[in-house]
Amino acid sequence: MEYTIQELAQMSGVSTRTLRYYDEIGLLKPGRTNDAGYRFYGQFEVDMLQQILFYRALDMKLATIQQIIQASDFQPKEALETHRAALLKRKEQLEQILQTVERTIQSIEEERPMTNEEKFIGFKEKLIEKNEKQYGQEIRAKYGDDQVDASNAKLMNMTEEQYQAMQQLEQQLFERLKEAMEIGDTNNDVAMEVAELHKRWLCFSWSQYSKEAHAGIAQMYTADERFTAYYDERITEGAAQFLHDAIIHYTKK
């Protein structure tokens, strides 16, 4: 059975404009196009669109989705199992936040204060999930599951004060990094303070610190565009490289 672009749009909830864009970038091309230029989609394209929407529900970029579904070893069933696991994890995290909201409302109605730890548990779980989604595979491959799990556990056990201090320290790091970049020397006192702030920020979640691991994280900031973007987008282009260089000097002292 074939579907026109309008029929597929109506069935899937994806606009015809989006389907045309997917065709233009090569993400989802129609099964065939007739002489008049009308697009027709078969069962294969319908199934691929479903996969695309599953990945989009996980906030994955289109370029990444394209690499996955067009890989020679792509297995639809395995992909669906991965979707299920990821969505169940997200469901669990959203349920935790919902429970926190409900407990907060109940505490207000009953005039029974919540502990600060209760207020923030859902947000800490969300932070861990975000980090796992963006960087988990690379970090686990580099440092091992035990170290990453220990780091996540330490984050979950943070008090409200520790969590807020971690956020404030990161903002201080950003400000000092801007100042250090204006000076332009990755080995002066300000740059070393930046590296020290970064170390202190890491130690909020790291179960133990080592100069080797610190330098390893710095290497990932320049080797992986996602890590690079985290600093370059929040500060300015070149921030990740400058931070990398400062940390390398710091860990050699």
Side-chain angles (χ1 to χ4, degrees):
M1 184 175 181
E2 286 187 326
Y3 300 90
T4 65
I5 191 170
Q6 288 80 12
E7 290 171 338
L8 181 58
Q10 183 177 7
M11 179 174 62
S12 65
V14 177
S15 69
T16 57
R17 179 178 181 180
T18 297
L19 291 173
R20 292 190 183 95
Y21 178 67
Y22 287 175
D23 182 10
E24 291 174 6
I25 65 175
L27 178 60
L28 181 70
K29 303 193 76 65
R32 69 180 181 91
T33 305
N34 67 13
D35 294 339
Y38 291 105
R39 298 171 173 85
F40 294 88
Y41 298 83
Q43 191 59 50
F44 174 80
E45 289 74 39
V46 171
D47 292 342
M48 284 297 100
L49 178 59
Q50 184 192 44
Q51 292 280 4
I52 292 168
L53 295 181
F54 282 139
Y55 283 118
R56 290 296 288 162
L58 297 171
D59 300 323
M60 190 172 290
K61 294 180 179 180
L62 294 180
T64 303
I65 297 173
Q66 188 167 357
Q67 290 176 354
I68 293 173
I69 67 174
Q70 294 180 1
S72 58
D73 59 350
F74 177 71
Q75 297 293 329
K77 182 176 181 296
E78 292 181 4
L80 288 170
E81 291 172 348
T82 301
H83 292 318
R84 179 175 60 186
L87 290 169
L88 285 172
K89 181 66 176 178
R90 174 166 293 189
K91 177 184 176 183
E92 178 183 348
Q93 188 266 328
L94 289 173
E95 286 177 345
Q96 180 66 62
I97 293 180
L98 178 59
Q99 290 173 12
T100 303
V101 171
E102 290 174 343
R103 286 198 298 267
T104 305
I105 293 172
Q106 184 179 12
S107 71
I108 294 173
E109 291 176 343
E110 298 177 359
E111 297 183 352
R112 179 184 58 81
M114 293 177 68
T115 67
N116 290 330
E117 286 73 17
E118 289 177 319
K119 292 178 182 179
F120 286 92
I121 187 170
F123 297 100
K124 288 187 287 187
E125 286 193 348
K126 185 176 181 180
L127 177 60
I128 289 173
E129 181 191 21
K130 180 180 178 181
N131 289 340
E132 284 281 1
K133 177 183 172 183
Q134 290 184 316
Y135 316 118
Q137 184 176 353
E138 292 78 7
I139 293 295
R140 288 181 179 276
K142 189 173 183 65
Y143 297 105
D145 290 338
D146 290 344
Q147 188 165 338
V148 175
D149 290 342
S151 175
N152 289 342
K154 186 174 182 181
L155 181 58
M156 280 302 300
N157 289 326
M158 277 186 188
T159 65
E160 177 197 2
E161 291 77 11
Q162 290 172 326
Y163 183 80
Q164 294 295 341
M166 180 182 180
Q167 303 301 312
Q168 292 171 6
L169 182 61
E170 185 177 38
Q171 290 305 312
Q172 183 182 358
L173 167 63
F174 291 162
E175 292 170 4
R176 295 299 277 170
L177 180 53
K178 290 178 184 177
E179 182 180 343
M181 291 183 70
E182 291 175 358
I183 298 172
D185 183 356
T186 60
N187 196 25
N188 68 2
D189 290 343
V190 178
M192 292 303 95
E193 182 183 350
V194 168
E196 172 65 22
L197 288 170
H198 188 264
K199 170 189 173 180
R200 288 167 50 194
W201 177 73
L202 288 174
C203 287
F204 272 101
S205 57
W206 279 17
S207 57
Q208 58 183 5
Y209 173 84
S210 73
K211 288 186 175 182
E212 293 76 13
H214 197 180
I217 284 289
Q219 296 290 353
M220 297 185 76
Y221 287 170
T222 54
D224 190 309
E225 62 182 11
R226 291 167 299 172
F227 289 89
T228 303
Y230 183 84
Y231 289 98
D232 284 9
E233 291 176 359
R234 286 164 175 77
I235 303 173
T236 187
E237 185 176 355
Q241 182 67 56
F242 191 98
L243 178 59
H244 161 274
D245 296 345
I247 292 171
I248 296 302
H249 286 305
Y250 177 83
T251 55
K252 288 180 179 180
K253 289 183 180 293

